[in-house]
Amino acid sequence: MKGGSVGGGIAPAKRRWRGLAIAVLFLVVLSMLVPLGFLLGVHNGFHTAGHLALQHPSPSGDRSRHIDNLVRKLGPTLPKDILRGYVNEAKNETSSRNATPKIQQQKGIPIPPQVVMQPVTNKNTSNVNGKARTKAGADESGGLCELKYGSYCIWREENREAMQDSMVKKLKDQLFVARAYFPSVAKMPTQNKLSGELKQNIQEFERVLSESTTDVDLPREIQKKSQRMEAVIAKAKSVTLDCHNVDKKLRQIFDLTEDEANFHMKQSAFLYQLAVQTMPKSLHCLSMRLTVEYFRDHSFDKELSEKYSDTTLQHYVIFSNNVIASSVAINSTVMHAKDSSIQVFHVLTDGQNYYAMKLWFLRNTFKDAVVQVLNIEDLNAGYYDKATLSHVTLPVEFRVSFHSNDNAPAIHNHVSIFSHSHYLLPKIFKNLEKVVVLDDDVVVQKDLSALWSLNMGGKVIGAVEICSVRMDQLRSYLGEHSFKKNSCSWMSGLNVIDLARWRDLHISKTYWKLVKKVSMKEGSALLASLLTFQDQIYTLDSRWVVSGLGHDYGLDIEGIKKAAVLHYNGNMKPWLELGIPKYKAYWKKFLNHNDQYLSECNVNR
Ligand SMILES: *[C@@H]1O[C@H](CO)[C@@H](O)[C@H](O)[C@H]1NC(C)=O
Ligand SMILES: *[C@@H]1O[C@H](CO)[C@@H](O)[C@H](O)[C@H]1NC(C)=O
Ligand SMILES: *[C@@H]1O[C@H](CO)[C@@H](O)[C@H](O)[C@H]1NC(C)=O
């Protein structure tokens, strides 16, 4: 038989490796012949072959691994059905079929077919398990994130689904770290080998990452590469003492990769950190630069404009501590106004941003409109009982979550609503009868003058309702206070306010009372505002405002284009790196990109 003659050829050669290789090859051929053997009923003939293989020294662990590897390489060429048969039979020690077990005993090596099968079965089960595990994790921790606006916990929850390509991200992280350690290691004469390894791994990672941006594209053996990298990094960590250097390098890399970070965008917690930490930095820079400039150059101070309190004009109020946000809100309003000369803007800001704001609006002109900047901290003295509140705050958004029924997942929404400071409006603008309040995260796309001729039928404020959030769904927030169950909630963003009516009805007084009552609870402003205005809302046509551009990826683009006002309520503000890319352009076009300060501070490159 063929098998016999091959075996005879090996014995005299006595070269182990060669013998082994041939033996293995032989075994493979053999394993293909086995089923054939069964079919033809000639399996007795295989005994000889088994004996020949046994003549070689007993296999050490090393060698059997070597063989495993060889078999693994050859494995895939074998028909799967045959392999499956082997696995089952290998498990069954009591199998009545005698041929295969015998061969295995005689060979004295681990059962190769099982090794071949493993990757296939493992992959499937581990995938399933993996999915099940992450699902369970989300459910378990779901209860832990309490509603807190801007909570990282909630953000992570929401974006967990989208956390794909974790391997790519892991590789990137490893690459960062490896690059950080490399210079320090390379400087050590005693660590030539390590630095070589490090370099090689870095290059390899760079190559892989330049070719793959998703996990699917990654080469199959990447897990191993990653492990190797991990080991090398661990070694590097153990030999480098100079933390300062590494730290410096890490910072550099962090800066370099900022651009690259678009890649992570929504998916990555890494970017969330990046955006939170770096973007406000450039806004901070802007604010600082403007403040310094303001005090350097006093020549800007203009006379008080008579327009500020002219009741025949259209007065817009914006609460903001963000220079570019309020600038965009104003610029976009002015740009679409039929007549900008009758527009007056009042920007209410805090002491920290007051001078920056002032300088900004002195430097920039917005057609024929005038802009007044007010420091709310100067104004509020004496306006309310100081004991009630420690300080007046700028508006905040509230994130509400509720369950529409017991089994459905929680619905989240970002409800922006009046803050304490809004209740100072009737006093700040003593002689005005009507104002339009804009949030600083809006962009105006149409002429708003129709708002000024609106007949609100005696209601105090005009607002867009959000019926996806109803009062009774906010039951847990509202407590035992009486409210109309099915009335919709409303949003700030674009509000028309009848200040005369407000004063008549003592709205502010009602509010402060309610705040006192509920001040123990989180979101007291939300509660008190909703309750205060329960019967005082004039519902604006929903075409006025499209909201959710700061959290909802699924908004209708046509609707956005047609809306009079876009509201970026949510965490993903358009001025943040984190902002939703497809909505950013509507906001960005109202910035002056040639502005010296903006480019110096890297705002919206
Ligand atoms: C393995 O053995 C069990 C009984 O122990 C038997 O039911 C089963 O059919 C066997 N499987 C194979 C593939 O031989
Ligand atoms: C792996 O799972 C997929 C679907 O989950 C299935 O279609 C496929 O047949 C499975 N493969 C094996 C080898 O079990
Ligand atoms: C206002 O927006 C326009 C674009 O519509 C832009 O050209 C201009 O520079 C902006 N002005 C300011 C002061 O930002």
Side-chain angles (χ1 to χ4, degrees):
M1 242 193 112
K2 233 184 191 173
S5 66
V6 172
I10 305 164
K14 287 224 164 97
R15 272 206 246 152
R16 284 179 187 175
W17 64 269
R18 207 166 154 207
L20 268 169
I22 292 171
V24 165
L25 237 162
F26 168 65
L27 282 173
V28 170
V29 171
L30 187 77
S31 59
M32 285 193 283
L33 290 177
V34 166
L36 205 66
F38 278 122
L39 283 176
L40 304 175
V42 293
H43 51 275
N44 283 341
F46 287 107
H47 283 278
T48 22
H51 283 300
L52 280 170
L54 246 190
Q55 283 168 1
H56 298 283
S58 75
S60 66
D62 220 352
R63 191 162 308 123
S64 64
R65 216 175 305 132
H66 186 64
I67 293 173
D68 284 357
N69 285 339
L70 277 174
V71 172
R72 196 174 312 177
K73 271 181 204 152
L74 294 165
T77 59
L78 303 179
K80 279 195 177 152
D81 290 345
I82 295 171
L83 292 172
R84 200 163 288 140
Y86 269 99
V87 176
N88 290 339
E89 278 167 20
K91 280 185 198 148
N92 259 9
E93 307 215 324
T94 57
S95 173
S96 57
R97 297 179 196 176
N98 48 15
T100 334
K102 240 180 215 164
I103 289 171
Q104 275 157 3
Q105 279 158 19
Q106 287 160 358
K107 274 188 293 184
I109 53 170
I111 313 118
Q114 222 166 2
V115 179
V116 181
M117 283 304 288
Q118 254 168 5
V120 184
T121 48
N122 264 4
K123 225 177 205 164
N124 250 18
T125 49
S126 75
N127 272 353
V128 171
N129 286 347
K131 251 180 212 159
R133 222 175 292 127
T134 46
K135 271 257 171 65
D139 289 343
E140 274 163 27
S141 55
L144 298 177
C145 289
E146 267 318 301
L147 53 121
K148 203 170 251 170
Y149 169 67
S151 151
Y152 170 67
C153 178
I154 290 174
W155 182 88
R156 196 188 50 195
E157 283 288 282
E158 271 186 356
N159 292 277
R160 192 189 293 272
E161 281 264 301
M163 284 283 215
Q164 287 151 5
D165 304 319
S166 56
M167 194 64 196
V168 168
K169 264 171 253 165
K170 186 178 163 195
L171 298 182
K172 284 201 157 196
D173 285 354
Q174 285 184 327
L175 182 58
F176 293 162
V177 177
R179 276 176 183 164
Y181 278 104
F182 181 67
S184 303
V185 174
K187 264 190 248 160
M188 299 181 192
T190 53
Q191 298 295 340
N192 272 342
K193 183 161 167 270
L194 180 57
S195 89
E197 266 179 77
L198 207 47
K199 189 172 178 184
Q200 190 200 340
N201 274 293
I202 288 174
Q203 284 168 346
E204 198 170 336
F205 267 48
E206 282 170 344
R207 189 182 51 73
V208 169
L209 287 171
S210 70
E211 286 164 3
S212 326
T213 51
T214 58
D215 279 6
V216 190
D217 299 338
L218 288 171
R220 267 201 231 132
E221 68 279 17
I222 197 66
Q223 198 74 36
K224 273 203 170 154
K225 286 198 170 114
S226 173
Q227 276 162 10
R228 222 160 34 220
M229 184 63 129
E230 209 162 284
V232 175
I233 288 172
K235 259 194 251 170
K237 272 185 187 163
S238 67
V239 300
T240 46
L241 298 169
D242 189 1
C243 291
H244 179 68
N245 242 353
V246 172
D247 186 53
K248 223 168 74 188
K249 186 71 193 164
L250 270 179
R251 272 164 215 280
Q252 279 172 15
I253 287 171
F254 196 61
D255 287 344
L256 278 176
T257 49
E258 220 172 293
D259 288 335
E260 216 182 301
N262 274 339
F263 160 79
H264 289 269
M265 228 38 198
K266 175 188 171 193
Q267 298 100 322
S268 151
F270 166 73
L271 181 82
Y272 183 74
Q273 297 295 352
L274 191 75
V276 166
Q277 285 162 15
T278 65
M279 276 315 284
K281 226 189 268 170
S282 54
L283 294 187
H284 181 69
C285 158
L286 182 64
S287 189
M288 292 299 285
R289 290 279 287 110
L290 290 168
T291 305
V292 168
E293 196 60 31
Y294 178 86
F295 285 109
R296 225 168 51 93
D297 184 0
H298 281 277
S299 66
F300 275 124
D301 276 341
K302 274 190 209 156
E303 76 296 349
L304 276 178
S305 172
E306 294 190 342
K307 281 179 149 189
Y308 293 163
S309 53
D310 186 338
T311 53
T312 62
L313 302 178
Q314 298 178 354
H315 293 265
Y316 293 85
V317 177
I318 297 174
F319 290 87
S320 179
N321 55 10
N322 183 328
V323 172
I324 55 169
S326 47
S327 177
V328 166
I330 292 175
N331 194 20
S332 62
T333 309
V334 168
M335 285 313 219
H336 295 105
K338 286 186 192 127
D339 180 3
S340 62
S341 68
I342 56 167
Q343 292 183 318
V344 182
F345 292 87
H346 306 271
V347 180
L348 290 161
T349 188
D350 56 9
Q352 200 185 331
N353 294 285
Y354 175 65
Y355 297 105
M357 285 277 193
K358 224 169 148 65
L359 184 70
W360 180 265
F361 289 109
L362 285 169
R363 272 173 53 89
N364 292 287
T365 51
F366 300 88
K367 284 194 169 172
D368 300 322
V370 294
V371 182
Q372 179 189 30
V373 179
L374 293 165
N375 181 355
I376 200 163
E377 288 165 24
D378 289 346
L379 295 167
N380 65 43
Y383 279 161
Y384 63 98
D385 178 10
K386 277 238 158 144
T388 315
L389 293 162
S390 52
H391 63 285
V392 166
T393 50
L394 290 168
V396 282
E397 279 174 4
F398 296 93
R399 227 194 101 88
V400 297
S401 351
F402 48 82
H403 295 265
S404 53
N405 63 51
D406 290 340
N407 292 325
I411 297 168
H412 303 292
N413 211 322
H414 294 260
V415 179
S416 58
I417 210 156
F418 287 0
S419 67
H420 297 329
S421 36
H422 283 80
Y423 294 86
L424 303 174
L425 286 173
K427 290 199 171 169
I428 297 173
F429 303 104
K430 279 194 193 77
N431 52 348
L432 299 184
E433 304 271 289
K434 202 171 185 184
V435 292
V436 167
V437 178
L438 299 174
D439 280 1
D440 69 356
D441 53 355
V442 301
V443 169
V444 175
Q445 306 194 113
K446 292 212 166 118
D447 178 50
L448 296 183
S449 46
L451 290 175
W452 297 92
S453 49
L454 217 56
N455 177 6
M456 301 205 295
K459 302 285 188 195
V460 177
I461 74 171
V464 173
E465 278 187 327
I466 40 164
C467 291
S468 59
V469 181
R470 286 172 191 277
M471 295 290 266
D472 67 332
Q473 287 162 327
L474 300 174
R475 209 179 304 119
S476 57
Y477 299 76
L478 295 169
E480 72 283 11
H481 296 280
S482 60
F483 52 86
K484 277 191 204 146
K485 282 206 160 166
N486 263 334
S487 56
C488 300
S489 149
W490 56 279
M491 291 270 270
S492 69
L494 175 72
N495 299 111
V496 187
I497 297 188
D498 185 337
L499 287 176
R501 201 70 191 127
W502 185 310
R503 293 186 193 100
D504 289 348
L505 294 173
H506 304 291
I507 295 285
S508 296
K509 221 184 205 170
T510 312
Y511 176 78
W512 295 122
K513 258 194 229 157
L514 276 167
V515 166
K516 240 181 199 164
K517 261 205 235 167
V518 299
S519 63
M520 291 302 118
K521 284 197 192 172
E522 203 179 337
S524 61
L526 169 69
L527 288 180
S529 284
L530 285 176
L531 294 172
T532 304
F533 286 110
Q534 254 205 91
D535 300 313
Q536 299 303 335
I537 304 292
Y538 169 85
T539 309
L540 292 180
D541 190 311
S542 62
R543 276 170 299 185
W544 275 106
V545 184
V546 167
S547 55
L549 279 80
H551 69 93
D552 189 345
Y553 281 82
L555 294 174
D556 173 38
I557 294 295
E558 285 308 306
I560 288 176
K561 283 183 183 154
K562 281 187 207 142
V565 175
L566 303 180
H567 190 186
Y568 290 76
N569 57 313
N571 302 13
M572 297 183 252
K573 302 295 187 203
W575 55 85
L576 298 178
E577 195 76 43
L578 191 67
I580 299 175
K582 61 180 171 179
Y583 305 148
K584 273 189 183 174
Y586 304 101
W587 184 86
K588 271 193 176 175
K589 65 178 171 199
F590 295 106
L591 269 187
N592 178 6
H593 293 283
N594 301 323
D595 185 87
Q596 174 201 348
Y597 293 104
L598 292 191
S599 43
E600 275 175 18
C601 288
N602 252 347
V603 177
N604 280 286
R605 286 149 287 166

